[in-house]
Amino acid sequence: MISPKSLLTAAIIASLVAIGPLSTDMYLPAFPMLMQSFDADINQVQNTLSIFLIGFALAQLIYGPLSDRFGRKPVLMGGLLLFALSSLAIVFTDSISTLSALRLLQAIGGSAGPVLGRAMVRDIYGPTESARLLSYISTAMAVAPAAAPIIGGYLLVWFGWHSIFLFLAVYGAIGLLLLGIRIPETAPPGSHHVMSVSSLLKNYGILLKHPTWRWYTLTCSFVFAGLFSFLSGSSFIIIEFLGYKEEQFGLFFALVVIGFMLGTQIAGRLVRRIGINRLLGYGSLIAATGGISMLILALAEVHHVAAVVVPHMVYMVGVGIVMPQSMAGALAPFPHMAGAASALLGFIQMSFAAGVGVLVGHYHDGSPLTMSFSIALMGTLTLISFRRLQRINRQNEDDDQDGEEEPASAA
């Protein structure tokens, strides 16, 4: 075993956190080929992505309590084993329905990586130092969604779509091996406890009734759904409609990720200076601007890759600003149940995005119009949600001021 605070431990945990973007983004260039291989329509192929996201969302609600009861390491090892086996099984599947079912299992297993990886960082470094390390891991993980379509595109061209899932199976197996022989249990001794279903449901009920939590969560969910709209439709637009090659798709996707990285850097530099909510407003406006610009270009029938990639780069700058701020705002009032708040936020965010992705696939007409409309709508709803959140925060501030003034007037 190695030291929990070693650089190698951090690198292994970072690689486990990367399972999510690798599993969603690596096979995006294969969408058109999957349609041909399985004689499936676009909606069926796109559903394999939405189903993955649903499984990923559901698993978040159970991994936290399981790891609190049995420890991080055994639960994470079980998840990685399921991920590796289901990824390997996909290599041998011969129907789109079987692929969808296996993608669900793959998601349930793979969700353990990011969920418990972050929990392990919290166990090792504590509340203050863990924030610093998680920021480094998040920056490093921005490389994963940029690199995944490029790797997937070349694997697709050289070896076929099966090789993408074989790569993921090997990736999961290596992660399982390294975790088993190199990293000790990180949960503090004596910390294992059982949380009842009723107490979990009670906490979730408290969160859903809290107005600021709801609107922070909706803001985060809307902006993420716009990103997922791009994930659902971009490969068909760039590869089939615009005629670019599979390996080129990954390069265009990397440009989009650069927009996200720029947004996170802007947020990191400005949040202390101007505050979460003001920064959230700027990010919402940027996302809406990017989405509406793409829709205008689609309506004008400007059929060029720049008309898709450049507006979405702008949108992704907004995503990079909005998502961290909305998550932080949602969790801030609930230090005593941050795990439940984070899990429910993630579940709502991913479930909503999966539903939007299904609609993008269902209404896709071969042109960029459906995808552009969805991204523009999600950007606009992000801005509307922020405005609503702003009114609630102002109302809360006025109530606090009234409460402070009442004793003085009574005297």
Side-chain angles (χ1 to χ4, degrees):
M1 297 292 177
I2 57 177
S3 169
K5 291 192 175 183
S6 70
L7 182 61
L8 180 57
T9 299
I12 293 173
I13 292 175
S15 68
L16 298 179
V17 174
I19 283 179
L22 286 176
S23 300
T24 55
D25 299 349
M26 184 170 284
Y27 88 128
L28 293 179
F31 273 19
M33 187 174 289
L34 290 173
M35 289 177 62
Q36 298 174 9
S37 297
F38 293 116
D39 192 24
D41 59 36
I42 181 176
N43 198 36
Q44 290 174 304
V45 173
Q46 191 281 329
N47 281 346
T48 65
L49 184 59
S50 293
I51 287 171
F52 181 92
L53 204 62
I54 291 171
F56 211 85
L58 289 170
Q60 290 191 62
L61 297 177
I62 61 174
Y63 274 126
L66 282 177
S67 69
D68 287 340
R69 175 65 180 89
F70 298 105
R72 315 294 187 217
K73 186 172 177 177
V75 177
L76 180 52
M77 290 182 69
L80 289 174
L81 179 61
L82 177 60
F83 175 81
L85 291 176
S86 55
S87 299
L88 183 61
I90 290 174
V91 175
F92 303 100
T93 188
D94 58 359
S95 72
I96 193 70
S97 58
T98 304
L99 174 61
S100 296
L102 290 172
R103 283 286 286 173
L104 179 63
L105 293 177
Q106 188 190 40
I108 293 172
S111 180
V115 172
L116 298 185
R118 293 186 180 99
M120 292 172 73
V121 171
R122 172 63 175 79
D123 294 337
I124 295 169
Y125 291 95
T128 303
E129 189 66 12
S130 64
R132 183 182 66 86
L133 189 68
L134 282 172
S135 67
Y136 290 144
I137 290 177
S138 297
T139 301
M141 285 308 96
V143 177
I150 298 175
I151 297 171
Y154 280 104
L155 287 174
L156 179 66
V157 171
W158 292 340
F159 306 110
W161 68 265
H162 303 83
S163 63
I164 296 173
F165 293 99
L166 182 60
F167 178 96
L168 292 173
V170 173
Y171 188 95
I174 293 174
L176 177 62
L177 180 65
L178 290 174
L179 177 66
I181 65 176
R182 305 296 284 179
I183 299 181
E185 174 61 60
T186 62
S191 64
H192 299 347
H193 62 276
V194 180
M195 179 173 281
S196 67
V197 174
S198 61
S199 62
L200 278 174
L201 293 177
K202 180 181 178 181
N203 286 344
Y204 289 152
I206 292 171
L207 292 166
L208 290 171
K209 292 176 182 177
H210 197 280
T212 56
W213 184 90
R214 287 201 309 268
W215 286 103
Y216 275 122
T217 298
L218 284 174
T219 303
C220 185
S221 299
F222 285 135
V223 80
F224 182 72
L227 162 61
F228 196 71
S229 299
F230 187 81
L231 294 181
S232 300
S234 58
S235 62
F236 296 106
I237 301 304
I238 294 174
I239 296 173
E240 286 200 328
F241 184 75
L242 297 175
Y244 287 89
K245 296 179 180 179
E246 287 86 351
E247 60 268 32
Q248 292 174 309
F249 170 80
L251 298 175
F252 292 127
F253 196 89
L255 292 176
V256 168
V257 176
I258 289 173
F260 174 77
M261 295 174 69
L262 179 60
T264 59
Q265 291 299 310
I266 291 172
R269 291 179 181 274
L270 295 182
V271 65
R272 288 183 177 177
R273 188 183 308 169
I274 67 176
I276 286 178
N277 289 320
R278 191 175 172 190
L279 190 58
L280 188 58
Y282 291 143
S284 301
L285 182 59
I286 292 171
T289 300
I292 293 171
S293 298
M294 187 190 294
L295 178 59
I296 291 172
L297 291 170
L299 290 170
E301 298 186 354
V302 180
H303 296 152
H304 189 279
V305 69
V308 175
V309 173
V310 174
H312 199 66
M313 284 184 69
V314 175
Y315 184 90
M316 289 298 287
V317 172
V319 174
I321 296 173
V322 168
M323 283 188 61
Q325 313 317 312
S326 55
M327 288 179 178
L331 300 184
F334 304 100
H336 57 294
M337 53 175 176
S342 178
L344 187 59
L345 184 153
F347 171 75
I348 293 173
Q349 174 195 40
M350 292 190 175
S351 299
F352 183 78
V356 171
V358 169
L359 293 176
V360 170
H362 181 74
Y363 290 104
H364 177 70
D365 61 355
S367 76
L369 188 58
T370 300
M371 182 186 75
S372 301
F373 175 80
S374 178
I375 295 171
L377 178 61
M378 292 305 108
T380 302
L381 289 175
T382 301
L383 185 58
I384 292 172
S385 295
F386 165 74
R387 296 299 186 193
R388 175 60 179 165
L389 175 65
Q390 197 175 36
R391 286 196 293 270
I392 292 173
N393 285 334
R394 286 174 179 168
Q395 182 179 349
N396 290 339
E397 291 175 1
D398 291 341
D399 291 343
D400 291 340
Q401 290 175 358
D402 291 342
E404 292 173 358
E405 292 170 359
E406 283 177 4
S409 62

Tab-separated table of all heavy atoms in Angstrom, residues 43-82:
chain	number	residue	atom	x	y	z
A	43	ASN	N	-32.569	7.918	-32.879
A	43	ASN	CA	-33.146	7.963	-31.553
A	43	ASN	C	-32.671	6.784	-30.708
A	43	ASN	O	-32.366	6.933	-29.522
A	43	ASN	CB	-34.675	7.965	-31.659
A	43	ASN	CG	-35.342	8.450	-30.389
A	43	ASN	OD1	-34.833	9.344	-29.717
A	43	ASN	ND2	-36.462	7.847	-30.049
A	44	GLN	N	-32.602	5.593	-31.297
A	44	GLN	CA	-32.157	4.411	-30.573
A	44	GLN	C	-30.694	4.531	-30.153
A	44	GLN	O	-30.325	4.160	-29.036
A	44	GLN	CB	-32.347	3.162	-31.437
A	44	GLN	CG	-33.797	2.770	-31.656
A	44	GLN	CD	-33.925	1.616	-32.641
A	44	GLN	OE1	-33.441	1.685	-33.768
A	44	GLN	NE2	-34.564	0.541	-32.212
A	45	VAL	N	-29.862	5.046	-31.054
A	45	VAL	CA	-28.449	5.202	-30.722
A	45	VAL	C	-28.274	6.279	-29.657
A	45	VAL	O	-27.521	6.104	-28.688
A	45	VAL	CB	-27.636	5.544	-31.986
A	45	VAL	CG1	-26.192	5.873	-31.613
A	45	VAL	CG2	-27.665	4.382	-32.970
A	46	GLN	N	-28.972	7.384	-29.790
A	46	GLN	CA	-28.859	8.451	-28.809
A	46	GLN	C	-29.338	7.999	-27.440
A	46	GLN	O	-28.812	8.425	-26.413
A	46	GLN	CB	-29.656	9.669	-29.286
A	46	GLN	CG	-29.405	10.943	-28.496
A	46	GLN	CD	-30.164	10.966	-27.180
A	46	GLN	OE1	-31.253	10.400	-27.077
A	46	GLN	NE2	-29.580	11.590	-26.188
A	47	ASN	N	-30.327	7.096	-27.421
A	47	ASN	CA	-30.843	6.602	-26.149
A	47	ASN	C	-29.780	5.858	-25.337
A	47	ASN	O	-29.865	5.795	-24.110
A	47	ASN	CB	-32.047	5.683	-26.375
A	47	ASN	CG	-33.321	6.464	-26.648
A	47	ASN	OD1	-33.383	7.668	-26.420
A	47	ASN	ND2	-34.337	5.786	-27.153
A	48	THR	N	-28.782	5.279	-26.023
A	48	THR	CA	-27.718	4.605	-25.271
A	48	THR	C	-26.938	5.601	-24.427
A	48	THR	O	-26.367	5.231	-23.393
A	48	THR	CB	-26.758	3.866	-26.220
A	48	THR	OG1	-26.061	4.807	-27.055
A	48	THR	CG2	-27.505	2.867	-27.097
A	49	LEU	N	-26.907	6.855	-24.832
A	49	LEU	CA	-26.260	7.905	-24.047
A	49	LEU	C	-27.171	8.370	-22.916
A	49	LEU	O	-26.734	8.537	-21.777
A	49	LEU	CB	-25.892	9.071	-24.959
A	49	LEU	CG	-25.110	10.231	-24.345
A	49	LEU	CD1	-23.789	9.760	-23.750
A	49	LEU	CD2	-24.849	11.304	-25.396
A	50	SER	N	-28.454	8.561	-23.225
A	50	SER	CA	-29.390	8.993	-22.190
A	50	SER	C	-29.553	7.936	-21.101
A	50	SER	O	-29.616	8.253	-19.907
A	50	SER	CB	-30.752	9.303	-22.821
A	50	SER	OG	-30.672	10.429	-23.666
A	51	ILE	N	-29.609	6.668	-21.506
A	51	ILE	CA	-29.733	5.576	-20.530
A	51	ILE	C	-28.516	5.535	-19.619
A	51	ILE	O	-28.630	5.306	-18.408
A	51	ILE	CB	-29.945	4.237	-21.263
A	51	ILE	CG1	-31.372	4.177	-21.832
A	51	ILE	CG2	-29.684	3.052	-20.340
A	51	ILE	CD1	-31.614	3.014	-22.749
A	52	PHE	N	-27.338	5.760	-20.201
A	52	PHE	CA	-26.129	5.805	-19.380
A	52	PHE	C	-26.245	6.905	-18.336
A	52	PHE	O	-25.923	6.713	-17.163
A	52	PHE	CB	-24.905	6.040	-20.264
A	52	PHE	CG	-23.610	6.073	-19.515
A	52	PHE	CD1	-22.856	4.926	-19.345
A	52	PHE	CD2	-23.133	7.264	-18.957
A	52	PHE	CE1	-21.658	4.952	-18.642
A	52	PHE	CE2	-21.942	7.300	-18.247
A	52	PHE	CZ	-21.194	6.141	-18.100
A	53	LEU	N	-26.721	8.068	-18.745
A	53	LEU	CA	-26.816	9.193	-17.828
A	53	LEU	C	-27.837	8.932	-16.726
A	53	LEU	O	-27.634	9.316	-15.576
A	53	LEU	CB	-27.180	10.463	-18.604
A	53	LEU	CG	-26.776	11.784	-17.948
A	53	LEU	CD1	-25.274	11.854	-17.798
A	53	LEU	CD2	-27.273	12.965	-18.752
A	54	ILE	N	-28.936	8.252	-17.062
A	54	ILE	CA	-29.938	7.907	-16.053
A	54	ILE	C	-29.342	6.966	-15.009
A	54	ILE	O	-29.506	7.151	-13.798
A	54	ILE	CB	-31.172	7.281	-16.720
A	54	ILE	CG1	-31.920	8.342	-17.542
A	54	ILE	CG2	-32.104	6.671	-15.670
A	54	ILE	CD1	-33.015	7.770	-18.407
A	55	GLY	N	-28.638	5.936	-15.474
A	55	GLY	CA	-27.990	5.010	-14.546
A	55	GLY	C	-26.955	5.714	-13.685
A	55	GLY	O	-26.839	5.460	-12.478
A	56	PHE	N	-26.205	6.619	-14.297
A	56	PHE	CA	-25.197	7.384	-13.572
A	56	PHE	C	-25.853	8.240	-12.496
A	56	PHE	O	-25.328	8.382	-11.387
A	56	PHE	CB	-24.442	8.269	-14.565
A	56	PHE	CG	-23.017	8.543	-14.200
A	56	PHE	CD1	-22.021	7.654	-14.554
A	56	PHE	CD2	-22.676	9.700	-13.531
A	56	PHE	CE1	-20.691	7.914	-14.234
A	56	PHE	CE2	-21.357	9.973	-13.202
A	56	PHE	CZ	-20.359	9.077	-13.560
A	57	ALA	N	-27.010	8.814	-12.823
A	57	ALA	CA	-27.729	9.660	-11.862
A	57	ALA	C	-28.282	8.833	-10.706
A	57	ALA	O	-28.138	9.199	-9.533
A	57	ALA	CB	-28.862	10.392	-12.579
A	58	LEU	N	-28.930	7.720	-11.013
A	58	LEU	CA	-29.523	6.883	-9.973
A	58	LEU	C	-28.480	6.346	-9.004
A	58	LEU	O	-28.696	6.306	-7.792
A	58	LEU	CB	-30.294	5.722	-10.613
A	58	LEU	CG	-31.601	6.083	-11.323
A	58	LEU	CD1	-32.122	4.894	-12.117
A	58	LEU	CD2	-32.645	6.544	-10.312
A	59	ALA	N	-27.333	5.940	-9.545
A	59	ALA	CA	-26.302	5.341	-8.703
A	59	ALA	C	-25.761	6.334	-7.688
A	59	ALA	O	-25.341	5.938	-6.593
A	59	ALA	CB	-25.170	4.802	-9.576
A	60	GLN	N	-25.766	7.622	-8.018
A	60	GLN	CA	-25.273	8.625	-7.077
A	60	GLN	C	-26.061	8.619	-5.776
A	60	GLN	O	-25.520	8.931	-4.722
A	60	GLN	CB	-25.356	10.014	-7.711
A	60	GLN	CG	-24.371	10.235	-8.835
A	60	GLN	CD	-24.303	11.695	-9.242
A	60	GLN	OE1	-23.930	12.557	-8.449
A	60	GLN	NE2	-24.674	11.975	-10.472
A	61	LEU	N	-27.351	8.270	-5.863
A	61	LEU	CA	-28.205	8.303	-4.676
A	61	LEU	C	-27.905	7.164	-3.714
A	61	LEU	O	-28.283	7.227	-2.544
A	61	LEU	CB	-29.680	8.235	-5.097
A	61	LEU	CG	-30.195	9.405	-5.945
A	61	LEU	CD1	-31.648	9.158	-6.346
A	61	LEU	CD2	-30.067	10.721	-5.200
A	62	ILE	N	-27.228	6.111	-4.196
A	62	ILE	CA	-27.014	4.932	-3.345
A	62	ILE	C	-25.558	4.736	-2.944
A	62	ILE	O	-25.289	4.125	-1.907
A	62	ILE	CB	-27.538	3.645	-4.009
A	62	ILE	CG1	-26.800	3.377	-5.325
A	62	ILE	CG2	-29.035	3.740	-4.258
A	62	ILE	CD1	-27.170	2.036	-5.964
A	63	TYR	N	-24.608	5.243	-3.722
A	63	TYR	CA	-23.207	4.984	-3.407
A	63	TYR	C	-22.778	5.656	-2.111
A	63	TYR	O	-21.969	5.100	-1.353
A	63	TYR	CB	-22.298	5.429	-4.555
A	63	TYR	CG	-22.126	4.370	-5.621
A	63	TYR	CD1	-22.377	4.638	-6.953
A	63	TYR	CD2	-21.706	3.081	-5.281
A	63	TYR	CE1	-22.222	3.668	-7.932
A	63	TYR	CE2	-21.549	2.104	-6.247
A	63	TYR	CZ	-21.807	2.400	-7.577
A	63	TYR	OH	-21.657	1.432	-8.533
A	64	GLY	N	-23.282	6.868	-1.854
A	64	GLY	CA	-22.924	7.544	-0.615
A	64	GLY	C	-23.303	6.748	0.619
A	64	GLY	O	-22.437	6.428	1.453
A	65	PRO	N	-24.589	6.388	0.789
A	65	PRO	CA	-24.968	5.576	1.949
A	65	PRO	C	-24.255	4.232	2.009
A	65	PRO	O	-23.887	3.768	3.097
A	65	PRO	CB	-26.478	5.387	1.747
A	65	PRO	CG	-26.905	6.559	0.939
A	65	PRO	CD	-25.761	6.844	0.027
A	66	LEU	N	-24.039	3.580	0.864
A	66	LEU	CA	-23.332	2.293	0.864
A	66	LEU	C	-21.899	2.449	1.365
A	66	LEU	O	-21.408	1.628	2.154
A	66	LEU	CB	-23.322	1.694	-0.547
A	66	LEU	CG	-24.609	1.014	-1.022
A	66	LEU	CD1	-24.452	0.532	-2.462
A	66	LEU	CD2	-24.976	-0.160	-0.121
A	67	SER	N	-21.219	3.510	0.911
A	67	SER	CA	-19.834	3.696	1.331
A	67	SER	C	-19.747	4.124	2.791
A	67	SER	O	-18.757	3.823	3.469
A	67	SER	CB	-19.141	4.728	0.431
A	67	SER	OG	-19.654	6.026	0.643
A	68	ASP	N	-20.773	4.820	3.287
A	68	ASP	CA	-20.802	5.157	4.708
A	68	ASP	C	-20.947	3.904	5.568
A	68	ASP	O	-20.431	3.844	6.681
A	68	ASP	CB	-21.965	6.112	4.999
A	68	ASP	CG	-21.709	7.513	4.471
A	68	ASP	OD1	-20.539	7.857	4.230
A	68	ASP	OD2	-22.685	8.258	4.282
A	69	ARG	N	-21.638	2.913	5.028
A	69	ARG	CA	-21.884	1.681	5.783
A	69	ARG	C	-20.733	0.685	5.669
A	69	ARG	O	-20.286	0.106	6.661
A	69	ARG	CB	-23.191	1.025	5.278
A	69	ARG	CG	-23.492	-0.338	5.913
A	69	ARG	CD	-23.746	-0.190	7.408
A	69	ARG	NE	-24.040	-1.479	8.025
A	69	ARG	CZ	-23.114	-2.298	8.519
A	69	ARG	NH1	-21.828	-1.952	8.457
A	69	ARG	NH2	-23.458	-3.441	9.074
A	70	PHE	N	-20.211	0.491	4.458
A	70	PHE	CA	-19.242	-0.575	4.222
A	70	PHE	C	-17.825	-0.078	3.938
A	70	PHE	O	-16.913	-0.889	3.794
A	70	PHE	CB	-19.699	-1.447	3.052
A	70	PHE	CG	-21.011	-2.135	3.285
A	70	PHE	CD1	-22.165	-1.690	2.653
A	70	PHE	CD2	-21.118	-3.198	4.154
A	70	PHE	CE1	-23.386	-2.312	2.863
A	70	PHE	CE2	-22.319	-3.831	4.384
A	70	PHE	CZ	-23.467	-3.389	3.733
A	71	GLY	N	-17.630	1.236	3.821
A	71	GLY	CA	-16.314	1.766	3.503
A	71	GLY	C	-16.209	2.149	2.032
A	71	GLY	O	-16.934	1.621	1.192
A	72	ARG	N	-15.290	3.071	1.721
A	72	ARG	CA	-15.136	3.531	0.340
A	72	ARG	C	-14.579	2.441	-0.575
A	72	ARG	O	-15.088	2.223	-1.674
A	72	ARG	CB	-14.184	4.734	0.275
A	72	ARG	CG	-14.405	5.805	1.309
A	72	ARG	CD	-15.713	6.533	1.150
A	72	ARG	NE	-15.767	7.654	2.078
A	72	ARG	CZ	-16.861	8.048	2.705
A	72	ARG	NH1	-18.004	7.420	2.501
A	72	ARG	NH2	-16.836	9.074	3.540
A	73	LYS	N	-13.524	1.774	-0.114
A	73	LYS	CA	-12.770	0.880	-0.992
A	73	LYS	C	-13.583	-0.307	-1.496
A	73	LYS	O	-13.608	-0.559	-2.712
A	73	LYS	CB	-11.493	0.407	-0.288
A	73	LYS	CG	-10.582	-0.415	-1.177
A	73	LYS	CD	-9.256	-0.691	-0.484
A	73	LYS	CE	-8.364	-1.575	-1.352
A	73	LYS	NZ	-7.046	-1.798	-0.719
A	74	PRO	N	-14.271	-1.085	-0.629
A	74	PRO	CA	-15.016	-2.234	-1.161
A	74	PRO	C	-16.148	-1.840	-2.104
A	74	PRO	O	-16.401	-2.535	-3.097
A	74	PRO	CB	-15.539	-2.932	0.101
A	74	PRO	CG	-15.469	-1.921	1.180
A	74	PRO	CD	-14.319	-1.035	0.837
A	75	VAL	N	-16.828	-0.742	-1.801
A	75	VAL	CA	-17.921	-0.293	-2.676
A	75	VAL	C	-17.368	0.172	-4.017
A	75	VAL	O	-17.918	-0.150	-5.083
A	75	VAL	CB	-18.728	0.826	-2.000
A	75	VAL	CG1	-19.807	1.354	-2.936
A	75	VAL	CG2	-19.365	0.319	-0.709
A	76	LEU	N	-16.260	0.914	-3.987
A	76	LEU	CA	-15.640	1.375	-5.224
A	76	LEU	C	-15.118	0.213	-6.052
A	76	LEU	O	-15.262	0.189	-7.282
A	76	LEU	CB	-14.508	2.354	-4.904
A	76	LEU	CG	-13.742	2.955	-6.084
A	76	LEU	CD1	-14.695	3.577	-7.094
A	76	LEU	CD2	-12.737	3.992	-5.596
A	77	MET	N	-14.539	-0.777	-5.409
A	77	MET	CA	-14.045	-1.954	-6.133
A	77	MET	C	-15.197	-2.720	-6.787
A	77	MET	O	-15.084	-3.195	-7.923
A	77	MET	CB	-13.257	-2.867	-5.197
A	77	MET	CG	-11.923	-2.278	-4.750
A	77	MET	SD	-10.954	-3.387	-3.690
A	77	MET	CE	-10.505	-4.663	-4.877
A	78	GLY	N	-16.323	-2.827	-6.084
A	78	GLY	CA	-17.488	-3.476	-6.677
A	78	GLY	C	-17.999	-2.730	-7.889
A	78	GLY	O	-18.352	-3.332	-8.915
A	79	GLY	N	-18.025	-1.392	-7.806
A	79	GLY	CA	-18.459	-0.588	-8.941
A	79	GLY	C	-17.531	-0.723	-10.141
A	79	GLY	O	-17.983	-0.870	-11.281
A	80	LEU	N	-16.226	-0.708	-9.893
A	80	LEU	CA	-15.262	-0.836	-10.984
A	80	LEU	C	-15.350	-2.209	-11.639
A	80	LEU	O	-15.191	-2.340	-12.862
A	80	LEU	CB	-13.839	-0.601	-10.462
A	80	LEU	CG	-13.508	0.844	-10.079
A	80	LEU	CD1	-12.118	0.919	-9.439
A	80	LEU	CD2	-13.565	1.754	-11.295
A	81	LEU	N	-15.592	-3.246	-10.841
A	81	LEU	CA	-15.738	-4.586	-11.411
A	81	LEU	C	-16.957	-4.646	-12.332
A	81	LEU	O	-16.882	-5.196	-13.447
A	81	LEU	CB	-15.876	-5.618	-10.285
A	81	LEU	CG	-16.062	-7.074	-10.726
A	81	LEU	CD1	-14.864	-7.555	-11.537
A	81	LEU	CD2	-16.297	-7.977	-9.505
A	82	LEU	N	-18.077	-4.068	-11.886
A	82	LEU	CA	-19.278	-4.039	-12.728
A	82	LEU	C	-19.017	-3.232	-13.998
A	82	LEU	O	-19.442	-3.629	-15.094
A	82	LEU	CB	-20.441	-3.437	-11.940
A	82	LEU	CG	-21.766	-3.271	-12.700
A	82	LEU	CD1	-22.275	-4.613	-13.198
A	82	LEU	CD2	-22.807	-2.588	-11.806
